[in-house]
Amino acid sequence: MEISRQSSGDLIILRLAGRLDANWCNHVESALSATVRDGEHRLHLDMSAVSYISSAGIRVLLACHKQLRAINGLFGVIRPSEAVRSVLELSGLQMLIAAETAAESSAEDNGKKLASASAAYELFALGAGGMKIETVGDPATLARGCGGAQPTTRRFDAAKVALGVGALGGSFSENAARCGELLAVAGVAAFQPADGSSRPDFMLSEGALVPEGQLVLGLSAQGTFTSLLRFEANDEDRRIGITELMQTALESSGANAAVVVAVTETAGLVGASLRQSPASEASASNDRFGFPQIRDWLSFTSERSFRDSTSLMVGVIAKPGSAFDALLRPLARGTDLLGHLHAAVFPYRPLRKGRIDLQPAVTSLFDGQSLQSLLHLISDPRGFNGAGESEFYRGAVWIAPIIT
Amino acid sequence: MLALSGIRKTFHPGTVNEVRALRGVDLSIEPGSFVIVLGMNGSGKSTLLNAVAGSFFVDEGRIELAGHDVTKWPEHKRARLIGRVFQNPFSGTAPTMSIAENFALASRRGQSRGLGWALSPNLMQPLRERIAALKMGLEDRLDNAIGSLSGGQRQALTLLMATWLKPELLLLDEHTAALDPKSADQVIQLSDEVIQRDMLTTLMVTHSMQQAVSLGDRIIMMHRGQVLHDIRGAEKKRLRPEDLLDRFDEVRRRELLDESAAAMLNELYI
Ligand SMILES: Nc1ncnc2c1ncn2[C@@H]1O[C@H](COP(=O)(O)OP(=O)(O)OP(=O)(O)O)[C@@H](O)[C@H]1O
Ligand SMILES: [Mg+2]
C-alpha cells in the first residue's frame, strides 16, 4: 500500500494505491489519524488505484468519517476504482463517495487575527461580562490540615468555574480523606481522589442534577466569558508553551486578572497531584512538603507527560497585586505572570475549528468515561534538570476578565 | 497461614556494601490465597521469599507459618512445610539423577536422607500419571537424567516435585522467566492448575503484568524493601495490566522526586 499526500487550499488529498485489507488497514488508519493530528480536518481519499477494499478497510474509512463529521470537518472518497465503488455501494455506504471538487469550507465568522511568531491566534468577542472571584480556604491547610474547619458543600452549576483542592459528593465528613486536585466548569466537576485511587472521578450536570462537593482550598468564580482565543502553534516543533499562551490570553483581555478555561490538543503536561488529602485528620505532621516525606504527599510528573492527549484546563491568571495572590504562583522566571491552573487529561481527540461553544466542547470530553488524570500544572523552572512547562499544539481558550 | 511482622534484613551491615533489603515487612496471608509479588529489580522480592524459606535468619521480626513460629527454624526444617521453584531450571533438582530418583528425593523432603534413591512402587503409578498429564512425553523417560531435559520440561517437573507433598506454602520466584514464551505459558498454566486443585497457599514473584492480573487473588507490590501496594478482593479482580503500569509509573515518579524537585514544589505548588 502506497500513500501519497497533496494539499489544495485547506483540503488534504491522500492518494492510496494497493489493497486496503486487514493487512494494510492499520497503516492507512495511522496515516489518516496523523493527518488529523496535524490539524487537517478536511480530507479526501483518492482511491482510484485501490484494487480491493475489505470490511477492515471500510471500518477505517467509517471511523475517520465519523470523527471528522463530529468536528465539522470533511471526509470523502474521490475517484473510487470500480472495485471500491461497488463495495461501498453494495454495503450502502455511497455517502462516503464525494464529488471531486469539495465545497469551500463554509465561511464562518472569522475572529480577529493576532500576530505572534510562534502561534497563529484568532480572537472572538463573546459579549460583555466577566467573573467575580472568591478565594476559598487558607493555603496553610496544605501544610497543616483543615484544623477541624468544615468546608460547606457547594454546587458546581454551569455559571461556575472552580479549581483547587476538594472532593465531589454530599458530605465533607465522608470526603475529608479524599480531597485532591479538583476543577469545575460548564456544569461539570472532576477531581483526583487522593485516597490511592488511580483514576479521577467526575460528575456532569444532567437534568436537575448539579455536581456538588467541597472546596477546601482554591478559587471559585462565577459569571460569563467575554472572549474565545483560538490558537495553533506554528513554530518549528509546532507547539506552544503554557506561559506564552496564558500571556497572550491575559493581554488579549486587557485585564490584570482573568479566569481561563481551555480545551487543547496537548503535546505534554507537567504537573503535580496530591497523594493524600491535606484535610484528612490522620495527617497531622507539620512538615509535609519537606524531603523526603513530600513523596508521600505529592506526585510530580518529573517529565513532560500525557504526550499527545486532549486536555481541559481551568485556571486563574493575573499580574502580581491581585487580592488572590496567595493562591497564585509564577508561571515562569522573568515574567510577571502568575497563575493557578489545573488540567484534566483525556485521550487525544481533535477539536473543532473556529468559534465553538464552551459547554458542548467541555461535556463531550467526558463521553466514554475516558478521563485519565487530573493535575495541578507546574512550570518547572529548573533548566536542564527540570521538567519544563506544559505545551500545546492547538486549542481554544475562553477568557473572562475578573471584575470586582 | 503465613504471618510476617516487622521483618527486616540488612546485608553486609556497617560496610560500604550495606543493603537494607527488607525494611519492615508486615504481611498476613490466608490459607489457600495465591499472592502475586511484583516490584522493580532489587525491591526485595527474592529476599522476602528467602526470608520465609529460611535461607538466612532475619535481623528483626517474626515469621509464623502454619501455626509454628519458624523464625528460628533452619532452612531444612522449614522445607517440610514449603515447596519452592526458582527462576533457574538448573537449580532445585539433581541433574545427574533420573526423573524418578529426583521424585524419590522430593517425596522425602525434610526427612532424613540416605535411604536410597528408589521410589516406592506405590508412588510410581501416580507419578507416571501426573507426568503423563503434562503431555510432554516424559512418562516414558523416567529413567533419563534430569539434566538431559529442556528448561521448560525441568521447570514443569520441579513444580510437580515442589508440590508433590502438598506443601503448606509454595514459593515461586520468577520460575518461568528463563523459559521461551511457549514453555513459560505451559509452566504458568500448570502452576495455576496445581495451585487451584490443591488450594495451595502461594507466593509467586513475576515481572509479567499479564500474569499478575490474570492469576491469583492478591497482588503485593514491593518497593525498597517494603510492601507499597496490597491489592486484593474486587479491586484485584477488575485490575487491568495498564492499571499496574500506572502504579509502576507512580513508583518511578516517586523516585524521581528528589530534593531539588521538592524545593521547587515547595515554592510553586499551591
Ligand atoms: N545474599 C545477598 N547478599 C547481599 N545482598 C543481597 C543478597 N540478596 C539480595 N541482596 C540485595 O538486596 C536487594 C534486594 O534484592 P532482591 O534479590 O530481593 O531483589 P528482587 O526484588 O528479587 O529483584 P529482581 O527483580 O532483580 O529479582 C538488592 O539490592 C540485592 O543486591
Ligand atoms: Mg528476585
Side-chain angles (χ1 to χ4, degrees), chain A residues 333-349:
Chain A
R333 292 219 169 110
T335 66
D336 66 348
L337 185 63
L338 307 177
H340 189 159
L341 296 135
H342 284 192
V345 191
F346 304 84
Y348 172 81
R349 67 173 78 180

Side-chain angles (χ1 to χ4, degrees), chain B residues 24-66:
Chain B
V25 175
D26 297 289
L27 192 62
S28 168
I29 294 171
E30 285 101 57
S33 179
F34 180 1
V35 182
I36 307 290
V37 183
L38 292 178
M40 294 193 286
N41 293 122
S43 56
K45 304 179 297 295
S46 299
T47 307
L48 179 69
L49 266 57
N50 289 334
V52 171
S55 310
F56 49 75
F57 290 128
V58 296
D59 303 336
E60 275 177 56
R62 181 185 149 94
I63 304 172
E64 210 177 292
L65 178 57

Side-chain angles (χ1 to χ4, degrees), chain B residues 209-210 213 239-246:
Chain B
M209 301 298 140
Q210 194 50 53
V213 297
L239 202 70
R240 300 163 306 166
E242 50 270 37
D243 299 325
L244 279 173
L245 286 173
D246 280 354

Side-chain angles (χ1 to χ4, degrees), chain B residues 81 109 130 162-169 197-198 200:
Chain B
L81 306 175
R109 185 186 45 202
R130 292 279 289 280
T163 54
W164 192 252
L165 298 181
K166 298 194 177 48
E168 300 286 349
L169 180 67
R197 187 195 59 211
D198 294 341
L200 298 177

Side-chain angles (χ1 to χ4, degrees), chain A residues 10 43 48-49 60 220 245 260 262 273 279 285 306 318 333 348 362:
Chain A
D10 66 352
L43 231 61
S48 56
V60 170
S220 172
L245 182 61
V260 286
S273 58
S285 102
F306 306 109
R333 292 219 169 110
Y348 172 81
V362 170

Side-chain angles (χ1 to χ4, degrees), chain B residues 6 13-14 56 74 79 84 93 111 132 137-138 142 160 167 169 178 208 256 259-260 266-267:
Chain B
F56 49 75
R84 298 191 77 169
T93 51
Q111 298 168 19
L138 294 175
L142 294 184
L160 277 194
L169 180 67
S208 156
L256 287 170
E259 267 188 277
S260 134
N266 260 301
E267 192 186 326

Side-chain angles (χ1 to χ4, degrees), chain A residues 187-343:
Chain A
V188 180
F191 83 118
Q192 177 78 57
D195 60 357
S197 32
S198 52
R199 298 281 147 160
D201 197 13
F202 63 91
M203 260 178 112
L204 299 172
S205 296
E206 243 149 341
L209 177 75
V210 173
E212 280 188 345
Q214 302 83 32
L215 205 54
V216 168
L217 173 69
L219 293 155
S220 172
Q222 179 159 9
T224 53
F225 290 98
T226 58
S227 57
L228 165 65
L229 180 69
R230 296 302 311 249
F231 70 96
E232 166 114 30
N234 59 9
D235 71 348
E236 270 168 59
D237 45 3
R238 300 182 68 83
R239 46 181 72 184
I240 172 175
I242 192 167
T243 308
E244 180 183 337
L245 182 61
M246 290 301 120
Q247 226 149 13
T248 310
L250 188 59
E251 272 163 29
S252 78
S253 76
N256 281 331
V259 172
V260 286
V261 170
V263 177
T264 55
E265 294 176 30
T266 302
L269 297 175
V270 178
S273 58
L274 286 164
R275 279 180 196 278
Q276 291 186 58
S277 167
S280 68
E281 286 174 38
S283 52
S285 102
N286 51 18
D287 188 21
R288 294 169 170 177
F289 287 7
F291 186 78
Q293 62 273 26
I294 187 172
R295 290 176 166 177
D296 297 329
W297 283 96
L298 270 188
S299 163
F300 177 53
T301 53
S302 288
E303 61 199 356
R304 220 169 267 123
S305 301
F306 306 109
R307 227 178 97 225
D308 293 347
S309 54
T310 290
S311 47
L312 167 64
M313 197 160 68
V314 171
V316 172
I317 51 175
K319 298 202 172 125
S322 70
F324 36 91
D325 266 7
L327 284 159
L328 307 182
R329 293 291 180 269
L331 281 190
R333 292 219 169 110
T335 66
D336 66 348
L337 185 63
L338 307 177
H340 189 159
L341 296 135
H342 284 192

Side-chain angles (χ1 to χ4, degrees), chain B residues 9 11-12 17 19-22 38-50 56 87 173-174 205 207 222 225:
Chain B
K9 178 68 191 178
F11 292 109
H12 313 301
N17 296 324
V19 183
R20 291 162 61 206
L22 296 177
L38 292 178
M40 294 193 286
N41 293 122
S43 56
K45 304 179 297 295
S46 299
T47 307
L48 179 69
L49 266 57
N50 289 334
F56 49 75
Q87 172 174 343
D173 192 351
E174 298 187 53
V205 176
H207 283 286
M222 299 281 300

